[in-house]
Amino acid sequence: MNMRQQKQHTVIISFDAVYEADFAYLKTLPNIAYLLQHGSYSTEVQTIYPTITYPIHTSILTGCYPDRHGIFHNHHLQPTIKNDKYRTWHWYHSEIKTPTLLDVAKQHKKKVGAIFWPVTGNANIDYNLPEIIALPGENQTLKILKAGSPMFLLKNELKYKKLRKGIEEPYLADFATKVTTNLLKTNKPDLTLLHLVSVDTMRHAYGVTHEQVKLALKQYDKSVGEIMDVLKESKMWDNSNIFITTDHGQIDVKTYASVNAYLVKAGLQQWVNGVLDYQVYAQSIGMGAYLHFNYNNITNIDQVLETLDQVVEQMIEDKIVVRLDTKDDLIVRGCSEPFDASLEAYPNTYITDSVYHEFGLSKIDIKDITDSMWNTIYYDRYFATHGYDERLPGYKNIFIAYGPKVKTHYNIGPMHIVDIAPTIANLIGLTFPECDGKLLATLRKEEV
């Protein structure tokens, strides 16, 4: 049997919160170094707006911008809920409006698995451990069982539960990797997805360049090595494809600020007996915010826009934001449907409502947040975050491709994150539908 007739095994690994500044260190790590030497790569991957996990991971799988695939945020819009820990997320695959690589693989009768990949709840795939978080009062195990593949999940829980300590890292990464390697060894799916979040967790908790981040990057490399080892041990290596993608970087936080505090002061929203009544609402995306207009409450749009202009001018003066982007500005960036404008935060400023809701503050330096305050907003303790302008210099993503049809030691150069799905589909023999991305034909080996 020749290579063309043999079954291919494809693994896509997402390194959450890794970006071009990490490449110099990544290439010193043994398993990633091997893939770079024997595969193709780019450190110039343009990501989408917003630079947050769920929209980006959906763009990776669909080859489309949020305008088409419909996932604009990690969270649904929930303006009446003050605390992030009570907010629902875009957990379910049915929320995606365009075909994904998972859907296409199943249409081609392929066996598919996904481990902690965002927006895969209830996806029509064979082995699914979705990334879903229980809200207060919910049972985490039951929620995942309902949204994933019950027998697959129960078997892995029994086998590897001792590795995990809730969502604490690096234990969660060890658990996810062991589930993935066991899946590859036991079930040999055609397509397997793995989402690793250690670096994202450590950067949020400690800052961009903390020593814990280096340990998390080593953890990513260790996971890659374990996957490579099981592919070799299971006699699948010669016909295996490994793709590594990243989604966004992070920026250190120096200031917590609330746009909604300014909107309340300007009379554009108010809380009455715990109920929010608003004309304009700011939905945080980290280092920025979406602005939503409640047209049912607006009788004079010109007056609202004039007041909003004054609010934005004041926030610029107070070094909360640097600009407002209109809907027209966002259309060309592929992200405009469910909101009316967006705000770009002042450098190192995290847009959050916790300091306003809990302490009545519109702004506070992170160094002035006391231990008592942190204990109150423990769910919102970020020393670095994302949600910045996707065009920010120095914040391109990384893509690595390895496989029998991929060029060796080849620098792809500039590309876009929406190019990943059609390119992977082409390399593994799937027909992908029309999308925003383009096929990166140059990384493919010449046919002999």
Side-chain angles (χ1 to χ4, degrees), residues 207-272:
V208 172
T209 58
H210 194 275
E211 187 61 29
Q212 287 292 333
V213 173
K214 275 196 172 182
L215 295 176
L217 288 168
K218 286 182 178 179
Q219 177 74 36
Y220 283 179
D221 186 72
K222 176 174 174 284
S223 294
V224 171
E226 291 181 24
I227 288 167
M228 292 168 63
D229 287 344
V230 80
L231 291 171
K232 292 171 184 175
E233 293 163 5
S234 304
K235 310 300 182 186
M236 297 187 287
W237 178 252
D238 290 343
N239 299 294
S240 290
N241 305 282
I242 297 177
F243 300 98
I244 296 174
T245 180
T246 69
D247 56 354
H248 54 69
Q250 288 202 25
I251 298 173
D252 285 323
V253 173
K254 295 180 180 178
T255 304
Y256 270 50
S258 173
V259 171
N260 285 323
Y262 284 82
L263 296 175
V264 168
K265 186 176 180 180
L268 293 175
Q269 60 175 252
Q270 58 183 334
W271 288 88
V272 180

Side-chain angles (χ1 to χ4, degrees), residues 313-330:
E313 286 179 12
Q314 186 62 55
M315 289 192 295
I316 291 172
E317 183 178 331
D318 293 346
K319 296 183 177 180
I320 298 285
V321 304
V322 294
R323 69 171 188 277
L324 178 146
D325 290 328
T326 67
K327 205 171 186 71
D328 288 341
D329 297 325
L330 295 166

Side-chain angles (χ1 to χ4, degrees), residues 144-409:
I144 290 181
L145 285 172
K146 286 180 181 179
S149 305
M151 290 307 297
F152 169 68
L153 297 177
L154 287 171
K155 286 178 182 178
N156 280 284
E157 180 68 12
L158 290 171
K159 192 168 187 176
Y160 299 118
K161 63 181 179 180
K162 290 182 180 178
L163 294 175
R164 199 182 69 247
K165 296 183 179 180
I167 60 172
E168 188 179 340
E169 295 289 0
Y171 309 103
L172 186 64
D174 279 335
F175 173 80
T177 303
K178 286 293 185 291
V179 172
T180 303
T181 54
N182 186 58
L183 171 62
L184 290 167
K185 183 177 180 178
T186 306
N187 302 104
K188 296 179 170 58
D190 301 278
L191 175 64
T192 305
L193 276 62
L194 171 63
H195 177 217
L196 296 171
V197 300
S198 304
V199 174
D200 190 66
T201 299
M202 296 308 170
R203 283 186 158 144
H204 280 315
Y206 298 106
V208 172
T209 58
H210 194 275
E211 187 61 29
Q212 287 292 333
V213 173
K214 275 196 172 182
L215 295 176
L217 288 168
K218 286 182 178 179
Q219 177 74 36
Y220 283 179
D221 186 72
K222 176 174 174 284
S223 294
V224 171
E226 291 181 24
I227 288 167
M228 292 168 63
D229 287 344
V230 80
L231 291 171
K232 292 171 184 175
E233 293 163 5
S234 304
K235 310 300 182 186
M236 297 187 287
W237 178 252
D238 290 343
N239 299 294
S240 290
N241 305 282
I242 297 177
F243 300 98
I244 296 174
T245 180
T246 69
D247 56 354
H248 54 69
Q250 288 202 25
I251 298 173
D252 285 323
V253 173
K254 295 180 180 178
T255 304
Y256 270 50
S258 173
V259 171
N260 285 323
Y262 284 82
L263 296 175
V264 168
K265 186 176 180 180
L268 293 175
Q269 60 175 252
Q270 58 183 334
W271 288 88
V272 180
N273 297 322
V275 177
L276 178 64
D277 181 47
Y278 71 95
Q279 294 173 291
V280 182
Y281 174 78
Q283 181 186 21
S284 172
I285 56 172
M287 290 189 161
Y290 294 152
L291 291 181
H292 297 264
F293 290 2
N294 183 359
Y295 290 98
N296 292 329
N297 275 0
I298 295 175
T299 55
N300 187 333
I301 186 64
D302 290 334
Q303 183 178 352
V304 168
L305 291 174
E306 182 179 346
T307 302
L308 182 59
D309 283 343
Q310 294 169 0
V311 169
V312 172
E313 286 179 12
Q314 186 62 55
M315 289 192 295
I316 291 172
E317 183 178 331
D318 293 346
K319 296 183 177 180
I320 298 285
V321 304
V322 294
R323 69 171 188 277
L324 178 146
D325 290 328
T326 67
K327 205 171 186 71
D328 288 341
D329 297 325
L330 295 166
I331 285 172
V332 297
R333 295 161 69 185
C335 188
S336 66
E337 279 308 305
F339 48 90
D340 297 273
S342 74
L343 294 166
E344 182 67 16
Y346 189 80
N348 305 105
T349 299
Y350 171 40
I351 302 298
T352 173
D353 289 323
S354 61
V355 297
Y356 171 64
H357 292 320
E358 300 290 355
F359 315 120
L361 301 171
S362 59
K363 177 181 178 182
I364 186 171
D365 287 346
I366 197 169
K367 60 180 175 56
D368 294 329
I369 301 178
T370 65
D371 289 344
S372 174
M373 294 170 76
W374 280 129
N375 288 336
T376 302
I377 58 169
Y378 66 92
Y379 58 88
D380 192 29
R381 185 175 179 137
Y382 291 153
F383 287 87
T385 196
H386 37 103
Y388 50 80
D389 188 326
E390 82 283 11
R391 301 162 298 185
L392 193 64
Y395 284 83
K396 293 290 194 298
N397 284 358
I398 298 166
F399 177 66
I400 302 171
Y402 170 89
K405 297 181 181 179
V406 177
K407 286 180 181 176
T408 59
H409 200 54

Side-chain angles (χ1 to χ4, degrees), residues 407-422:
K407 286 180 181 176
T408 59
H409 200 54
Y410 176 69
N411 188 341
I412 301 165
M415 58 177 283
H416 201 289
I417 208 156
V418 296
D419 300 333
I420 291 174

